Amino acid sequence: MQLDLEPGAILILSVGFGITYVVISFIRGSLTWKGVLFNTAFFAYMVMLLDVTLMPLPLSREAVSPYAEINNFIPFASIYETLTRSISLRIALRNILGNVLMLMPLGMFAPILWNQRSLFSVLKTTLGLSVAIELTQYFIGFLLRHNYRNVDIDDVFLNTVGALLGFLVFKLLYPWIRAVLDESSQTNTHQSQV
């Protein structure tokens, strides 16, 4: 038996919270359509991230993968294991690249949404989120009295590399993003003067 959110439920949650955000922003008078777009996209990303990293919750030990019993606290040990002992290179790359890509969007969202323009602040945020995900997996396993996900220090490393790449993509696209955001703020200033 497992507790899992279906993709439709995730979409409904994302839309519901997105609408709530729009209403609250409208009431506060801080509504720009581009800000709403970025924040709603970020929220949808976070919901999907939490679904991928924390769901499904197996309510019995029988529903747990045998690989979930193995936690790794030795840096680079599971990366080495994945590359050398994986069934196929495709599976190994999928696992490694999946962890890199998982927090790559955070490296792009953080500078836009929270004005974190330095690499250090983005990496600090990403490191904190990645460690929080791993600790949450560990504590949920503790509460369930069995691991349901493997806790892996290499996931934290790969997630942080992903955020670094996301930040570099942000820096490459920054002139375009800045033009879009500046255009949005000029339109709002002009509308408030009319």
Side-chain angles (χ1 to χ4, degrees), residues 14-35:
S14 297
V15 170
F17 281 108
I19 290 170
T20 302
Y21 172 78
V22 169
V23 170
I24 291 171
S25 295
F26 182 75
I27 291 169
R28 289 183 178 167
S30 61
L31 180 68
T32 67
W33 71 270
K34 290 172 184 164

Side-chain angles (χ1 to χ4, degrees), residues 29-95:
S30 61
L31 180 68
T32 67
W33 71 270
K34 290 172 184 164
V36 169
L37 179 68
F38 282 123
N39 280 286
T40 303
F42 175 72
F43 182 79
Y45 160 70
M46 290 302 294
V47 169
M48 288 185 272
L49 176 68
L50 294 176
D51 181 58
V52 167
T53 58
L54 300 178
M55 296 293 174
L57 293 177
L59 301 179
S60 68
R61 186 179 287 277
E62 293 79 33
V64 177
S65 163
Y67 299 107
E69 295 295 325
I70 304 166
N71 291 326
N72 172 43
F73 301 105
I74 301 169
F76 307 108
S78 70
I79 294 172
Y80 177 78
E81 179 86 14
T82 299
L83 290 173
T84 59
R85 295 196 180 161
S86 187
I87 296 170
S88 73
L89 181 61
R90 182 175 163 221
I91 292 172
L93 290 176
R94 181 177 156 210
N95 183 26

